[in-house]
Amino acid sequence: MRLILLGAPGAGKGTQAQFICERFKIPQISTGDMLRAAVKEGSELGLKVKEIMTSGGLVSDDIIIALVKERIAQKDCENGFLFDGFPRTIPQADAMKEAGVKLDHVLEIAVADEEIVKRLAGRRVHPGSGRVYHVEYNPPKEDAKDDVTGEALIQRDDDRESTVRNRLAVYHEQTAPLVDYYQSWAEQDPATAPAYHRVEGVGSVDDITRQVIDALET
Ligand code: AP5
Ligand code: ZN
């Protein structure tokens, strides 16, 4: 299965990706996680993207498209993959079309902006694995520690409220048009387009996982 998780920052893409990838045995390709790993390593790519990520802007399409093409050529992607946070602009989506990357599903997780600000303020992450928690809505078993490794959880640099507002503005301007892009494609040419599903992303994590799995299995 090859699918795209589409949704605003904080909609729950990373949270749901964990369950979907386990269920369908496919790798999670999170461009955000890949870029954060590069920043942490201090690689050439990391140095190039650090500032833009901290401000909540988007990294250039050229960089992202090259990164994704290289990643999906790897062996573990042979039986499918899940895109989390990609494509995020029309040129990124077009690049996949032009490269002949056939996708089965686009799954939109819809959450209102006010809810997102609350979610991101309380988010904590395990930097090694990308596992996601929330101090109130999805707390770790032990305070501030990852459930699997016991290592310390951190807060992301771009989760400050002013940056979150900028990320939301960028989302509405550059990424939200992809909703229409994939919906119109599915209506006009269902034979080649990925199937489009929309799930309301408000409710318990388990409840949303059930709706997501249902949508993908029918
Ligand atoms: P990226 O890492 O992709 O961030 P994002 O899209 O802003 O999404 P988030 O990771 O913030 O949210 P999420 O939907 O995964 O939510 P989560 O599951 O964590 O990108 C970061 C940056 O990298 C970008 O700003 C850009 O600079 C760059 N970048 C990345 N990809 C790029 C691309 N393709 N092109 C250009 N630039 C790119 O959940 C959020 C919180 O809510 C958590 O605390 C979670 O526990 C909680 N939560 C989840 N579900 C629920 C629920 N049902 N109820 C209550 N709380 C919940
Ligand atoms: Zn994420």
Side-chain angles (χ1 to χ4, degrees), residues 9-10 12-15 31 36 57 85 88 92 123 133 156 167 203:
K13 301 183 295 295
T15 303
T31 41
R36 277 184 291 280
R88 231 183 174 92
Q92 291 179 18
R123 171 162 62 184
Y133 302 87
R156 264 169 53 174
R167 286 164 61 202

Side-chain angles (χ1 to χ4, degrees), residues 36 49 129 193 206 210 214:
R36 277 184 291 280
V49 303
S129 66
D206 286 353
R210 262 190 297 275
D214 269 5

Side-chain angles (χ1 to χ4, degrees), residues 27 70-81:
E70 193 187 318
R71 180 68 187 87
I72 59 178
Q74 288 169 13
K75 202 156 174 41
D76 65 330
C77 292
E78 267 176 1
N79 294 321
F81 46 77

Side-chain angles (χ1 to χ4, degrees), residues 7-16 30-33 35-36 49 52-54 56-61 64 68 84-89 92 109 115 119-120 122-125 132-135 137-138 156 158-159 167 201-206 208:
K13 301 183 295 295
T15 303
Q16 296 300 332
S30 159
T31 41
D33 284 350
L35 296 169
R36 277 184 291 280
V49 303
I52 191 119
M53 288 181 75
T54 311
L58 291 185
V59 173
S60 80
D61 288 334
I64 297 288
V68 170
D84 163 6
F86 173 88
R88 231 183 174 92
T89 62
Q92 291 179 18
I109 307 181
E115 171 73 15
R119 283 192 186 181
L120 294 184
R123 171 162 62 184
R124 300 293 181 271
V125 296
V132 197
Y133 302 87
H134 189 281
V135 287
Y137 309 138
N138 184 20
R156 264 169 53 174
D158 57 352
D159 279 348
R167 286 164 61 202
V202 184
S204 76
V205 170
D206 286 353
I208 294 159

